[in-house]
Amino acid sequence: MTATATGTARASAASAAAPPSLTAVFVRLKLSLLRNGLKGSSKRKAAWFTTLAFALVVGFFVTLGLALLHGHAHAGTVVVLLAAILALGWSVMPLFFPTGDETLDPSRLVMLPLRPRPLVRALLASSLVGIGPLFTLCLAVGSVLAVARGAAGVAAAVVAAPLLLLGCVVLARAVATANVRLLTSRKGRDLALLSGLLIAVGAQVANFASQSLFQAGGLSRLEPVEAVVRWLPPATAVGMVDSASEGAYGVAAAQLALTVGALVLLLRFWERTLTKLMVTPDGSTLAAAKPAKDRSAGGFWSLLPGGRTGAAVQRSLRYVVRDPKTKAAWVTALAIGVIVPVFNALQGTGSIYLACFGTGMLGMQMYNQFGQDTSAFWMVAQTISTPRDAYVELRARALALALVTVPYTVLVTVVTAALVDNWSALAAALGLTLAVLGSMLCTGALASARFPYSIPTDGAFKNVAPGQAGLAWAGIFGGMLASAVICAPVIALAIWFNVADHQNISWLLLPLGVAWGTLATWAGLRLAAPTVARKLPEILLAVSKG
């Protein structure tokens, strides 16, 4: 009796002393993070549930659509390429959305006494909790249903769907861990802000590729690509199901071995990078760096004029390089300004005058010049006491914009002329784009003086402070309308040259456009300067609200 009681007590003590499973702890931690993130914010809760509902609805219909491909001649091609695109998306998402999931940063765990291998298992299990893995599982199930035929195909599908999901999640985790230092730095945040640019470029590329595909033979053109992709993990998991359904059991076994082998290698790579991360000190904890060099002493900056003008030009250009929001706006404008004329030219619907689109995108950066400085504008305001000071400040900002926009405009116009093979209209198009730039510099200076507003520093997608949306709309859209009116004579002349077939004298638009744009810029700066000097306290208050 006593021995039995003693053994029971020891067993109870041993079970009580046994540590909880690290995997279970991390899964509960992930659920707690999700639950606590929804507390206290009705907007965040509504956004999360809306995203969940949208993912479920889209996942259901995509799964249903893929399942309906069962028996189609090109079903294997579609789902194998879909699996590859899915894996590519998982691999790049951590680079562009590093703050979307706090558990992507394993550097938060470096002070805990955790071994890498159990930590990898725990992080993998917690990574399977969320909307993204659920949506991926829907796509994986639909993909294998599209190609599974017969007992061998069904058996392979049961294995392939979880392998595809695991491959995508492990790939994302390995990429995130290997680049965690970058993702948590300023350069990583800048990279995240450029994600919209990648989406815009990708959408245009996908649109152009789809049109070219369906105009030249349909899905059969993708079969050579699919023949290669089906041997690239984790798309090999879906290829395994297709091979097993067709009776190619040796090929299916090779693809299964390749899928599992790649998954094991990714896990080993993840474990090694995690170990290195947990034992290697961060660069911010190392000894002080060498004294910073004065980079403004030579190079490009030495070419700028001296005095206030050169200092203001340098300040404006440094904002473009260093401020994340300013950089994102500029890079997006530069990229879309090339995409629109180039892709229209490649699709056969282009015109050399579409080069004006990029000039207009960059010209919009002149609007709300003082709001782009945010609360730091008060330092600039201390140096403005007369209309002359305001004029020099605005002129320097316009010069900084022109230093980038004028060469960019010439380059885009020349490239567009080459793609549409319309060299005879090059001079006219250049003149028109420079006239558009000058008119937007004019109205941008006036809008900056009369309709200043604050740009919040928090939130990647907050560009107007609460209560100032009316000012932003009035400044931007009113300024664009005024720019069209100012540039109307040059536009009308360009239209007349084309309608009347006076291409032999259309080159006159180049000097006319240069003169018109320069005169419009000078007039806008002259008119805006007294307003800036007079309303400086109001401008300072407006741009400091964010």
Side-chain angles (χ1 to χ4, degrees):
M1 181 72 178
T2 304
T4 304
T6 303
T8 304
R10 288 177 178 175
S12 301
S15 60
S21 170
L22 185 62
T23 302
V25 170
F26 270 66
V27 171
R28 289 198 300 270
L29 177 62
K30 181 64 175 287
L31 293 174
S32 298
L33 287 173
L34 292 175
R35 183 174 60 252
N36 295 335
L38 301 177
K39 291 182 178 179
S41 176
S42 57
K43 291 184 179 180
R44 186 180 300 176
K45 187 181 298 184
W48 191 86
F49 281 107
T50 301
T51 305
L52 176 61
F54 179 78
L56 289 175
V57 171
V58 174
F60 171 76
F61 282 106
V62 171
T63 303
L64 181 62
L66 291 173
L68 292 177
L69 287 177
H70 187 80
H72 191 275
H74 299 291
T77 301
V78 172
V79 296
V80 168
L81 294 178
L82 176 63
I85 295 173
L86 193 63
L88 179 63
W90 272 91
S91 65
V92 300
M93 281 301 173
L95 299 178
F96 292 103
F97 300 97
T99 59
D101 185 355
E102 294 180 351
T103 63
L104 284 176
D105 185 7
S107 62
R108 298 170 182 260
L109 309 172
V110 294
M111 300 302 294
L112 300 178
L114 301 174
R115 294 186 178 274
R117 185 161 297 181
L119 184 58
V120 165
R121 290 196 298 265
L123 288 173
L124 177 58
S126 63
S127 299
L128 296 174
V129 178
I131 298 177
L134 178 61
F135 183 73
T136 303
L137 181 61
C138 293
L139 295 185
V141 171
S143 298
V144 297
L145 288 177
V147 292
R149 298 184 304 275
V154 172
V158 172
V159 178
L163 280 178
L164 178 58
L165 174 61
L166 288 174
C168 291
V169 173
V170 173
L171 180 60
R173 278 295 187 174
V175 171
T177 303
N179 296 278
V180 67
R181 302 293 191 200
L182 169 66
L183 299 180
T184 54
S185 65
R186 191 187 74 180
K187 291 183 179 180
R189 291 190 293 270
D190 292 349
L191 183 64
L193 283 174
L194 299 180
S195 59
L197 172 63
L198 179 68
I199 294 173
V201 175
Q204 290 291 335
V205 172
N207 179 44
F208 177 69
S210 61
Q211 290 187 8
S212 302
L213 178 65
F214 288 107
Q215 289 174 0
L219 293 173
S220 59
R221 293 193 64 193
L222 293 177
E223 290 181 355
V225 180
E226 182 267 342
V228 176
V229 172
R230 67 165 51 229
W231 290 99
L232 299 177
T236 47
V238 180
M240 172 192 66
V241 180
D242 192 29
S243 300
S245 300
E246 294 177 354
Y249 302 121
V251 175
Q255 290 170 330
L256 175 60
L258 190 58
T259 305
V260 175
L263 183 60
V264 171
L265 289 177
L266 274 175
L267 287 170
R268 293 292 300 273
F269 173 75
W270 183 13
E271 182 181 348
R272 289 186 60 184
T273 54
L274 188 61
T275 303
K276 182 179 179 181
L277 177 69
M278 299 183 75
V279 301
T280 304
D282 190 359
S284 61
T285 63
L286 299 178
K290 298 180 181 179
K293 297 180 180 180
D294 184 9
R295 298 182 180 180
S296 62
F300 171 76
W301 306 123
S302 63
L303 302 177
L304 298 177
R308 182 191 185 108
T309 299
V313 170
Q314 186 174 160
R315 182 183 67 241
S316 298
L317 294 177
R318 286 189 185 277
Y319 277 161
V320 175
V321 176
R322 295 181 177 180
D323 181 62
K325 282 197 173 182
T326 305
K327 180 188 294 186
W330 272 77
V331 174
T332 302
L334 288 168
I336 296 180
V338 173
I339 289 172
V340 171
V342 168
F343 275 81
N344 275 278
L346 293 176
Q347 293 174 2
T349 59
S351 168
I352 190 173
Y353 294 101
L354 283 177
C356 294
F357 188 86
T359 305
M361 291 287 295
L362 283 176
M364 290 180 64
Q365 307 308 314
M366 187 65 186
Y367 292 81
N368 195 35
Q369 274 291 309
F370 307 126
Q372 295 176 19
D373 293 357
T374 62
S375 59
F377 177 66
W378 75 269
M379 300 181 66
V380 178
Q382 304 303 314
T383 66
I384 299 177
S385 57
T386 65
R388 175 64 184 175
D389 295 334
Y391 172 76
V392 175
E393 177 69 25
L394 286 170
R395 184 183 63 185
R397 291 172 183 252
L399 177 59
L401 183 62
L403 286 176
V404 178
T405 307
V406 172
Y408 172 84
T409 296
V410 174
L411 178 62
V412 172
T413 308
V414 170
V415 170
T416 307
L419 291 175
V420 300
D421 195 20
N422 189 9
W423 294 103
S424 60
L426 176 61
L430 272 176
L432 182 58
T433 54
L434 294 175
V436 169
L437 175 61
S439 65
M440 296 199 74
L441 291 177
C442 168
T443 56
L446 291 170
S448 298
R450 296 182 178 275
F451 303 103
Y453 59 90
S454 176
I455 300 177
T457 55
D458 60 327
F461 304 102
K462 294 180 181 179
N463 295 313
V464 182
Q468 293 186 326
L471 289 172
W473 282 86
I476 295 176
F477 288 96
M480 292 174 64
L481 181 61
S483 298
V485 173
I486 294 172
C487 201
V490 182
I491 297 174
L493 188 60
I495 295 174
W496 182 74
F497 279 153
N498 279 276
V499 172
D501 197 18
H502 291 313
Q503 297 293 334
N504 56 332
I505 59 173
S506 63
W507 61 268
L508 292 173
L509 279 174
L510 179 56
L512 177 62
V514 173
W516 195 276
T518 304
L519 180 63
T521 302
W522 175 83
L525 298 177
R526 281 294 183 186
L527 292 173
T531 304
V532 172
R534 186 178 65 254
K535 299 177 60 177
L536 191 59
E538 300 175 24
I539 295 173
L540 184 58
L541 180 63
V543 302
S544 301
K545 284 187 176 181

